[in-house]
Amino acid sequence: MPARCLLIVLDGLGDRSFPELGNLTPLQAAHTPHLDDLAARGINGLFHGGRPGQALSSENAHFTLFGYCQAEFPGRGVFEALGAGIELNPGDVAVLTHLDGVVPDNDRLVVSVHRPRIEPDQAAVLFGAVAEYETDEVSVRLHPTGGPDGIIVLRGELSPDVTDTDPLVIGQAIIEPEALHTAAHGRRARRTAAALKKYLTWAHRILDGHPGNEDRRRQGLPALNFLSTHRAGQLRPVTPFPERWGLRALTISSGLVYQGLGRYLGMDAWAVKDGDDPGQDLAERIRLAVDRFDGYDFIHVHTKTPDQAAHTKDPGVKLAVIESLDQGLGRVLPDLLADPETLVVVTSDHSTPSGSDLIHSGEPVPLAMAGEGVRVDGVKKFDEVSAAAGALGMLRGDEFMLLVLNHLDRSQLVGLRQAPQATPHRPRRRRPFRIEE
């Protein structure tokens, strides 16, 4: 039986059907002999981290894929901060931010430029001008993370339960930061919203008159004069992945959010860079995982490229990326499937539509699992529709991790009490009975 699991996540792989593809999804229309081979050798089904129809973000979907519930979710700001190496104290609020251009409309600010491309030195100058701020016993620090992006860390008696200010759409007004109606600590949430508004107002005035933006105006470029914010988060207690699932874990990814998520959950994180060939990148990441099999029981390999391709809103671009990933997988899959100690799983975190105003959509994604002892169903293709006929049916939430434990022969029989802490896996440590003198 397998002793370890290799989980390959093709981010945003699921999609909708398009007339230009013969009413097929990009995955259905793509030539994917290696993904199809994996499906034919194992068991198939669909996965959704929440409820079908819910459009999950990547961080929420991965959180549930790794066997955690949304009530434990700390907010994406925490993951990206940890991924960027930013130190967070208990109680700090981490908020994602990026430079936008805004223009006044009466007493509102309307987005004219959203997350623009910007030279690193220009971004550093603008971010540096608004890097620190103090108000009402709240300190604010801005940490650039690359391009127009950064993370705002607020320190004080605060709460992450505040609204985003980013409307996501050009021509829409910046949103007022407010405490969420569901905030567990209403006073702290209101204090956070008030401090954030004061900082963003101050930063807007500084940026709007900054010499760097004056230079941009002289060059006919729009000023980047507002810090739009979203997805505030705060550290909270969490059971580490090795303790919850009894597996030593590693994540291999290029995005800060996945590296930070791994660190938050007690996984080791290996940062990689994206190249020009998605398939080559995937093959190299899988080889990296294979080289580290001796040290881990569960390795997560991630690529963001299907999601990025879908955001171009061109189904053909996504199809081409999928075919590249399949070719990359074909360079390593035969050896993986020949290894009796490896359980191979390929799936996605969510669907990303290539032809919709939605950022993500709520359709479930295909999942294929192959390895020694795994049942083999009759599915011959890896796609969103074929997978629905698989023997796994529809998996949701932590059901995926329970299946992993099952196929690694690590499941604990329900009802046994071999340790004070109930776990779904066999406890590594059990207190031995001793005869006392």
Side-chain angles (χ1 to χ4, degrees):
M1 293 297 292
R4 60 203 169 218
C5 174
L6 176 64
L7 170 62
I8 302 167
V9 176
L10 311 179
D11 197 300
L13 182 68
D15 212 316
R16 295 174 173 176
S17 60
F18 296 94
E20 60 266 41
L21 299 180
N23 289 323
L24 301 174
T25 69
L27 179 57
Q28 285 179 295
H31 179 60
T32 56
H34 306 294
L35 285 167
D36 295 344
D37 183 47
L38 175 68
R41 289 171 178 262
I43 195 166
N44 298 264
L46 295 172
F47 172 78
H48 197 293
R51 293 177 293 173
Q54 277 187 317
L56 296 184
S57 62
S58 293
E59 66 273 17
N60 290 98
H62 269 82
F63 199 67
T64 56
L65 186 64
F66 290 156
Y68 292 80
C69 68
Q70 292 305 310
E72 303 171 279
F73 188 72
R76 178 165 175 154
V78 167
F79 298 154
E80 294 217 17
L82 294 177
I86 298 169
E87 181 180 349
L88 293 180
N89 294 333
D92 289 355
V93 172
V95 188
L96 302 186
T97 189
H98 56 262
L99 287 164
D100 274 347
V102 297
V103 293
D105 179 17
N106 296 319
D107 59 346
R108 306 184 309 161
L109 295 173
V110 174
V111 176
S112 58
V113 180
H114 187 257
R115 294 194 74 251
R117 292 183 179 273
I118 183 172
E119 295 297 324
D121 57 339
Q122 293 180 354
V125 169
L126 293 176
F127 280 134
V130 292
E132 298 185 7
Y133 183 75
E134 305 280 339
T135 178
D136 301 331
E137 299 183 348
V138 176
S139 66
V140 183
R141 300 293 182 271
L142 172 60
H143 303 265
T145 57
D149 299 322
I151 297 173
I152 297 168
V153 177
L154 300 95
R155 184 161 294 171
E157 295 293 322
L158 304 171
S159 164
D161 295 331
V162 295
T163 58
D164 302 338
T165 63
D166 184 5
L168 299 175
V169 178
I170 291 175
Q172 296 292 316
I174 294 292
I175 302 167
E176 178 88 0
E178 297 181 89
L180 299 181
H181 289 166
T182 56
H185 302 283
R187 180 177 296 179
R188 291 185 180 185
R190 289 189 293 272
R191 181 185 296 125
T192 307
L196 185 60
K197 181 171 183 179
K198 287 182 179 180
Y199 168 67
L200 296 180
T201 300
W202 171 81
H204 168 60
R205 289 169 179 160
I206 296 293
L207 292 172
D208 195 52
H210 193 278
N213 273 321
E214 294 298 335
D215 287 343
R216 289 181 63 86
R217 290 185 179 103
R218 283 193 290 270
Q219 297 172 42
L221 299 173
L224 304 180
N225 54 0
F226 196 82
L227 294 171
S228 293
T229 59
H230 57 114
R231 306 191 205 192
Q234 189 175 57
L235 290 172
R236 53 191 309 175
V238 65
T239 304
F241 188 94
E243 183 178 332
R244 176 166 292 192
W245 298 106
L247 303 171
R248 299 163 298 169
L250 170 69
T251 176
I252 300 173
S253 56
S254 62
L256 292 181
V257 64
Y258 310 102
Q259 296 156 28
L261 171 57
R263 291 176 179 136
Y264 180 77
L265 295 179
M267 299 178 174
D268 289 339
W270 192 282
V272 291
K273 293 184 178 180
D274 293 326
D276 296 328
D277 185 338
Q280 179 65 25
D281 288 348
L282 180 61
E284 290 177 356
R285 291 171 197 185
I286 294 173
R287 292 189 186 107
L288 188 63
V290 171
D291 289 343
R292 281 150 185 80
F293 270 162
D294 288 343
Y296 300 96
D297 312 301
F298 181 92
I299 300 182
H300 163 248
V301 172
H302 176 269
T303 173
K304 189 71 172 173
T305 49
D307 182 74
Q308 293 168 333
H311 288 308
T312 68
K313 300 307 176 184
D314 183 341
V317 172
K318 188 169 183 178
L319 184 154
V321 165
I322 291 170
E323 291 186 339
S324 174
L325 292 173
D326 184 78
Q327 292 169 15
L329 185 62
R331 297 167 197 163
V332 291
L333 187 61
D335 289 340
L336 289 173
L337 294 176
D339 182 1
E341 295 196 347
T342 301
L343 176 69
V344 181
V345 184
V346 176
T347 188
S348 185
D349 49 353
H350 57 74
S351 292
T352 304
S354 299
S356 166
D357 289 338
L358 292 177
I359 299 172
H360 297 163
S361 57
E363 295 90 346
V365 295
L367 183 149
M369 177 182 294
E372 187 172 288
V374 175
R375 294 173 179 174
V376 178
D377 57 28
V379 175
K380 303 300 181 185
K381 274 187 60 63
F382 182 82
D383 61 57
E384 304 95 329
V385 176
S386 299
L392 285 177
M394 168 77 81
L395 300 178
R396 290 174 53 191
D398 66 358
E399 292 174 348
F400 168 70
M401 284 305 306
L402 291 172
L403 270 177
V404 170
L405 288 185
N406 176 66
H407 285 294
L408 299 185
D409 279 355
R410 300 199 183 197
S411 296
Q412 175 68 303
L413 185 67
V414 174
L416 292 185
R417 301 177 179 180
Q418 297 182 333
Q421 180 75 26
T423 62
H425 61 86
R426 295 177 182 174
R428 289 177 177 268
R429 297 181 181 87
R430 293 173 289 189
R431 185 174 180 178
F433 185 91
R434 300 186 185 277
I435 302 297
E436 299 180 4
E437 298 294 338

